[in-house]
Amino acid sequence: MKNNYVVIMAGGIGSRFWPFSRQNHPKQFQDILGTGKTLIQQTTDRFKEVCSQENIYIVTNDIYYDLVKEQLPFIPDEQILLEPIMRNTAPCIAYACYKIAAKNPNANIVISPADHIILKEGEFTRAVTTVLDETAKNQDILATLGIQPSRPDTGYGYIQVLFNQPMGALSKVKTFTEKPKLELAQAFMESGDFVWNAGIFIWHVQAILKAFKKHLPSIGDLFEKISHHYYTEQEKETIKETYYMCKNISIDYGIMEKAKDEVYVLPCDLGWSDLGTWKSLFELSEKNEHQNVLHGNVLAYDTTNCIIKTPSDRLVVVQGLSNYIVAEKDNVLLICNKDEEQRIKQYLTEAKEKKGKEFS
């Protein structure tokens, strides 16, 4: 267990969850489900049986440093990796893995988003430790957790699994598919060969460094070159220079889809949700007799199948809505059909361009 590390990615804005998730206070730092803990606090707690506290690293945007310190006061500064600009998941993961390798070249690493929900936490711990055992033994493979799909969802990426080519508990990956159209998602469900891509990765640090050198050297070389600056006073300034030289690319596109021969998956049933959209919050939340999710001071009449999340100090009266999102946060009120929620990112972009950055 001393070689087990966890990297929690906490730099995103959560734009599909606008206006509740805002640039100055994104969803990972909020208690969205009313549990008494924010999403990043829940995520950190989830790994308490996987690795020791001193082996948990947080990667986030530098503007969220104070939020991390406030919510995770036990994480020391050297384990809070601050990104000066957003460059997607490949640079984020490279930074964390090259830094950890500088301290422990035998590290076995779990990469996890900060804002996912796992309802079956015992099963999650078993799955993660099972894969960590495999990656400790085989330092060439790149592993991921695959979620057994419950519906033909078009909002998730899919992984095709070769069940007849296992490695211990893991099965080989055949293909990755990004967010398919509904007809293709239905075909994936019917085939039984596909799982959702949860974006949770597990590997030995030497495996991922080798993969960066092979598949994404333009990023790997940058972070390897500055390895002598990690854990020093020069790290922050050096990282700033490095990030501006990095291209914007995800770990999925940059490495996982290219490294097919080395990629394995563990299909799981974890009660998982990426909590990326209002519809996903609706599905997870308790509903009243009219199938409404009401958070706030709300009176609803002739209203069904809606999610309404508004400030508790303001009375909101709704009549005659069906299948809608009504969300108010600070200076923005959103009213949107649930089936059109993929347009929320567009609404956010246009609000920022046409009305001002204060609405983002």
Side-chain angles (χ1 to χ4, degrees):
M1 186 164 163
K2 68 182 174 67
N3 287 331
N4 289 352
Y5 287 75
V6 171
V7 174
I8 297 174
M9 300 182 292
I13 297 173
S15 55
R16 290 181 297 164
F17 213 70
W18 182 75
F20 197 75
S21 187
R22 307 292 285 270
Q23 185 160 358
N24 64 347
H25 199 193
K27 63 176 179 172
Q28 60 267 29
F29 300 109
Q30 299 187 44
D31 178 12
I32 288 178
L33 294 178
T35 64
K37 290 189 176 181
T38 65
L39 294 178
I40 194 171
Q41 288 172 329
Q42 290 182 58
T43 300
T44 306
D45 287 350
R46 196 173 297 139
F47 288 104
K48 62 188 175 187
E49 295 180 32
V50 173
C51 79
S52 57
Q53 197 167 277
E54 59 265 25
N55 287 359
I56 296 176
Y57 284 63
I58 310 294
V59 190
T60 190
N61 192 282
D62 58 11
I63 64 174
Y64 304 138
Y65 169 80
D66 289 338
L67 285 170
V68 173
K69 292 300 286 186
E70 175 190 329
Q71 296 188 12
L72 305 173
F74 56 88
I75 302 286
D77 283 0
E78 69 174 23
Q79 291 163 227
I80 302 173
L81 282 55
L82 300 176
E83 299 179 287
I85 50 173
M86 293 183 183
R87 281 291 187 262
N88 216 316
T89 54
C92 158
I93 289 170
Y95 179 15
C97 290
Y98 276 93
K99 179 168 181 173
I100 291 170
K103 174 175 273 194
N104 184 352
N106 292 313
N108 212 11
I109 302 174
V110 184
I111 309 287
S112 171
D115 52 1
H116 289 188
I117 296 296
I118 305 285
L119 299 179
K120 301 178 182 179
E121 297 212 340
E123 183 57 36
F124 175 79
T125 300
R126 283 191 292 274
V128 169
T129 52
T130 295
V131 182
L132 282 168
D133 288 344
E134 296 285 353
T135 55
K137 288 184 290 188
N138 190 326
Q139 298 180 10
D140 292 320
I141 66 171
L142 305 172
T144 186
L145 300 185
I147 307 301
Q148 297 286 5
S150 57
R151 60 188 182 277
D153 200 301
T154 59
Y156 297 142
Y158 285 73
I159 300 171
Q160 187 176 16
V161 182
L162 286 171
F163 289 105
N164 62 342
Q165 292 193 15
M167 174 184 286
L170 304 175
S171 294
K172 197 163 188 179
V173 167
K174 183 178 181 182
T175 60
F176 287 86
T177 303
E178 286 297 314
K179 299 177 182 176
K181 293 191 175 177
L182 182 59
E183 297 78 14
L184 192 54
Q186 288 170 333
F188 287 170
M189 279 282 293
E190 290 165 8
S191 77
D193 294 338
F194 289 81
V195 291
W196 286 334
N197 184 355
I200 300 170
F201 307 103
I202 303 170
W203 43 54
H204 193 280
V205 72
Q206 298 304 325
I208 191 62
L209 298 195
K210 191 186 302 181
F212 269 105
K213 287 177 184 176
K214 183 177 179 182
H215 302 293
L216 209 52
S218 63
I219 288 178
D221 290 349
L222 288 170
F223 288 96
E224 183 178 31
K225 225 172 5 180
I226 62 170
S227 58
H228 58 290
H229 287 305
Y230 298 134
Y231 305 99
T232 73
E233 291 180 359
Q234 289 76 42
E235 179 178 341
K236 185 174 181 181
E237 191 57 37
T238 308
I239 283 297
K240 186 174 182 180
E241 295 170 4
T242 300
Y243 258 75
Y244 279 97
M245 291 187 278
C246 286
K247 62 180 174 181
N248 187 324
I249 187 169
S250 72
I251 198 75
D252 299 89
Y253 282 125
I255 288 183
M256 300 300 281
E257 294 182 15
K258 296 175 182 175
K260 287 181 183 175
D261 291 341
E262 295 89 32
V263 181
Y264 287 78
V265 63
L266 180 67
C268 309
D269 179 10
L270 306 174
W272 171 89
S273 171
D274 72 345
L275 206 62
T277 63
W278 285 103
K279 191 180 283 188
S280 63
L281 178 60
F282 175 82
E283 289 166 355
L284 279 170
S285 300
E286 187 175 340
K287 301 166 187 65
N288 67 13
E289 67 273 21
H290 302 294
Q291 292 302 298
N292 293 317
V293 175
L294 306 178
H295 292 169
N297 193 5
V298 180
L299 291 174
Y301 302 93
D302 309 318
T303 292
T304 58
N305 203 36
C306 289
I307 179 165
I308 303 172
K309 191 173 179 67
T310 56
S312 57
D313 61 354
R314 180 186 305 236
L315 175 64
V316 174
V317 182
V318 176
Q319 188 275 330
L321 287 185
S322 177
N323 202 45
Y324 264 78
I325 301 159
V326 179
E328 182 180 5
K329 177 76 171 176
D330 297 332
N331 56 356
V332 177
L333 169 65
L334 170 76
I335 303 171
C336 174
N337 191 294
K338 285 218 310 284
D339 293 335
E340 298 288 331
E341 70 168 356
Q342 294 301 327
R343 297 175 64 182
I344 289 177
K345 287 180 79 170
Q346 171 197 336
Y347 301 152
L348 168 58
T349 300
E350 292 185 6
K352 189 161 52 173
E353 290 174 353
K354 296 178 180 179
K355 301 297 181 180
K357 290 184 179 179
E358 67 270 24
F359 297 106
S360 64

